[in-house]
Amino acid sequence: MKLSRITDRGPRPARRTILLTAAAATAVLLTLSGCSGAGSAGGSGGGANKKISIAFVPKQLNNPYTDVELGGGKKAAAATGDAYSVVGPNTASASSQVSYINTLTQKHTDVIAIAANDPNAVCSALNQAKAGGAKIITFDSDTDKSCRSLFINQVVAKDVGLVELKQLGEQIDYQGEFAILSATANATNQNSWIKYMKDELASNPKYSKMKLVTTVYGNDDDTTSFQVAQGLLQSYPNLKGIISPTTVGIAATARYLSTSSYKGKVILTGLGLPNQMRQYVKDGTVKEFALWDPAKIGTATVYAAKALVAGTITGKEGDTFKAGSLGTLKVGADNTVIVGPPTEFTAANIDKFDF
């Protein structure tokens, strides 16, 4: 009010000097405030509306499943006005993400969101990032708990393992040899799902006539997975089914089966993207498989990142935060946020999904 009155009448020289000084100071503060938005140093503190920088480090680039996850994160960051970026290796080896984490630490990125290729190989680099002020979130594939504040998980791990085993058991009448074609030997999420499959095989009499003969790895590479599937069927001529708990592995295996003499004889199930698997469901190579909406992982990660930087959550069990279209999400045991249950895809419903 005083400024308006003085402007109308013209301030006296002494007061004009004071006002100009105050205006200059205000301009400096506004400039500094503008510099502290997305991409600023630090990572802690700030209000709920503070713009942050969040960098996703996937297991590997150019993975169709990961691309859907990252798409959800990019869309969420655009909605919140935060700075979004993606860096990562072209191969999913254990230590291939370390150099990217170190670079993000040097850039003072507010939040590093990583899907770890190995639960321990990246911990030293992540701890250095935390010491520099960054918040650490894992998504899709976890690290050791000590290396991060939150893990954004797709579903309850046990549910994933059991639904894949159930789908195979139903199609081979719960008897015969089968194999697992997984991603990498150190992938935390796949190994967790496989563990629950093995536990169920050992404890549930329904599966007593099913025998897991081997677990092999395609390294989440299409060509390698295709060749591993081919070798698997040659090595185990009595194989009745394959479970591939990776979108790269199941698509590559389906492509091999679809043009081989094994089509219709060897059952394939696992985790796949509807858009990649549609043709194999419609030509009869695959009867059913499962997955969730990967885009929700990216979305939840961005909103969790904002809540951590704002200080409205710390990642402890019981914390809640708003996640846009996903509603309010809650942190559960082991500092883990579960996004949603798995969906089973068949010829009857696959055309209802587009990702």
Side-chain angles (χ1 to χ4, degrees), residues 92-164:
S93 61
S95 60
S96 58
Q97 296 164 306
V98 170
S99 62
Y100 297 95
I101 298 168
N102 292 338
T103 299
L104 293 172
T105 302
Q106 293 168 2
K107 289 182 176 180
H108 302 291
T109 302
D110 289 316
V111 179
I112 297 174
I114 180 169
N117 283 320
D118 183 286
N120 298 305
V122 293
C123 275
S124 178
L126 292 177
N127 286 333
Q128 289 183 29
K130 282 198 294 185
K135 303 294 185 185
I136 308 299
I137 297 176
T138 53
F139 69 99
D140 186 67
S141 185
D142 201 10
T143 61
D144 184 271
K145 283 199 311 182
S146 64
C147 312
R148 47 72 170 168
S149 296
L150 271 179
F151 173 38
I152 308 297
N153 198 6
Q154 304 90 337
V155 290
V156 176
K158 186 176 182 178
D159 291 349
V160 178
L162 297 191
V163 75
E164 294 174 82

Side-chain angles (χ1 to χ4, degrees), residues 52 54 76 111 135-138 149-152 297-315 320-324 329 331 337:
I52 67 171
I54 175 169
V111 179
K135 303 294 185 185
I136 308 299
I137 297 176
T138 53
S149 296
L150 271 179
F151 173 38
I152 308 297
I297 305 295
T299 301
T301 301
V302 167
Y303 284 98
K306 288 191 69 68
L308 279 174
V309 174
T312 55
I313 66 170
T314 62
T320 61
F321 62 94
K322 292 184 178 179
L329 297 178
V331 181
V337 176

Side-chain angles (χ1 to χ4, degrees), residues 5 18 27 74 104 140 143 178 183 198 234 300 318 323 327 338:
R5 181 164 54 85
I18 294 171
K74 184 177 182 179
L104 293 172
D140 186 67
T143 61
F178 75 99
K198 291 180 177 177
Q234 292 171 351
I338 301 295

Side-chain angles (χ1 to χ4, degrees), residues 11 51 82 115 151 154 156 168 172 196 224 228 242 265 311 331:
K51 302 306 179 187
D82 295 302
F151 173 38
Q154 304 90 337
V156 176
L168 179 63
I172 64 173
Y196 285 114
T224 304
V228 168
I242 298 173
K265 299 175 182 175
V331 181

